[in-house]
Amino acid sequence: MNESDWLTERFEEHRSRLRAVAYRMLGSVAEADDAVQEAWLRVSRAETGDVVNLGAWLTTVTARVCLNVLRSREHRREEPLDVRVPDPIVSPESGVDPEQEALLADSVGLALLVVLETLTPAERLAFVLHDMFAVPFEEIAPMVARSPAAARQLASRARRRVQGQAPVPDPDLTRQRDVVDAFFAASRHGDFDALVAVLHPDVVLRADGGAGHARQTVTIHGARQVAAQAVMFTRLAPFVRPALVNGAAGVVVTANGRPLSIMGFTVADGQVVAIDVLSDPERLRQLDLSVLDAATDGAP
């Protein structure tokens, strides 16, 4: 086996981990795949004779590509977005396929990714690499042109924000689904008190309508405020399809075969603590939701 074939095989062995790193960094499967491909192009042109730990080196190359993408995003945005809901990974209720499982390992819920969107590129890189993939700060520091101590501070700031804004969901999917079903049952019947009861007092609803629908991009705090918003959308209840959104109980709202929104729920201690909604028509068109139709077609 020549060196090129050897390197190709080793890269493929690490591809799922590299995609997982890139998805956490970028919040988009398509951009993650592009970043991994760019990393491969860089790796294939590099000299690897002196590389001691190939996996760590590949992770570093991929992370650097992602960091450049994040910095480019900042420069392109004329105004910062109030809310950006990352591209969700939607699966049928029957379960997540093996390829998606690698992306979603360690409970990468939509609420967590939304909080990661609020970090600076350097904070996000430090937190993702260290807290999620155990990369030492000595290796992170050169990527962000900081000392190891400064890289540690970046991760620490990010960690405080994540712990304060991204609650850990209940691990029991059945319990999650029961709570989400109760939410929609109350919404369908316009039962305001029942809605308030299923929502945590400090629940947060974050909705991303996209650049062309700024009025649909909102953040709402508090059970009564979120319940009032939910009652307004009672008419959408017939179009709700249960699904897994980033491995947790969620729904896809469709009408006439067209997705209107994807809603991810974070359920903790029997109450909804966060609802993250993507309703950007442009981004919804780019998502592959055929897995839901396939699951329905295959149902007994």
Side-chain angles (χ1 to χ4, degrees), residues 5 18 55 57 59 116-117 120 137 141-142 149 170 218 222 275 277:
D5 291 341
L18 301 180
W57 182 61
T59 299
L116 293 184
E117 289 287 327
T120 68
F137 288 118
D170 286 337
V218 296
I275 306 173
V277 184

Side-chain angles (χ1 to χ4, degrees), residues 43-147:
V43 166
S44 64
R45 295 192 296 260
E47 293 291 334
T48 60
D50 296 332
V51 176
V52 176
N53 186 332
L54 185 65
W57 182 61
L58 293 175
T59 299
T60 296
V61 174
T62 303
R64 287 183 182 274
V65 172
C66 293
L67 184 62
N68 289 338
V69 173
L70 290 175
R71 287 171 171 167
S72 176
R73 276 185 194 170
E74 285 199 329
H75 292 314
R76 289 199 306 267
R77 290 175 183 166
E78 294 181 4
E79 296 181 4
L81 299 175
D82 292 331
V83 181
R84 185 181 188 277
V85 175
D87 293 349
I89 297 177
V90 180
S91 315
E93 280 205 297
S94 56
V96 179
D97 70 35
E99 186 174 332
Q100 291 177 331
E101 281 182 357
L103 282 178
L104 295 175
D106 304 319
S107 300
V108 184
L110 204 55
L112 171 60
L113 289 172
V114 170
V115 177
L116 293 184
E117 289 287 327
T118 68
L119 305 177
T120 68
E123 288 172 342
R124 188 165 186 170
L125 181 142
F127 176 81
V128 167
L129 291 188
H130 181 267
D131 285 43
M132 296 183 170
F133 294 94
V135 176
F137 288 118
E138 289 73 17
E139 296 178 18
I140 294 172
M143 301 184 212
V144 291
R146 310 283 180 92
S147 68

Side-chain angles (χ1 to χ4, degrees), residues 89-97 100-101 104 107-110 168-182 242-251 263-272:
I89 297 177
V90 180
S91 315
E93 280 205 297
S94 56
V96 179
D97 70 35
Q100 291 177 331
E101 281 182 357
L104 295 175
S107 300
V108 184
L110 204 55
V168 178
D170 286 337
D172 188 337
L173 264 177
T174 300
R175 189 179 185 191
Q176 290 184 28
R177 177 55 62 192
D178 288 344
V179 173
V180 173
D181 286 348
L244 296 181
V245 178
N246 282 58
V251 302
M263 302 177 67
F265 289 77
T266 304
V267 175
D269 297 326
Q271 288 185 307
V272 177

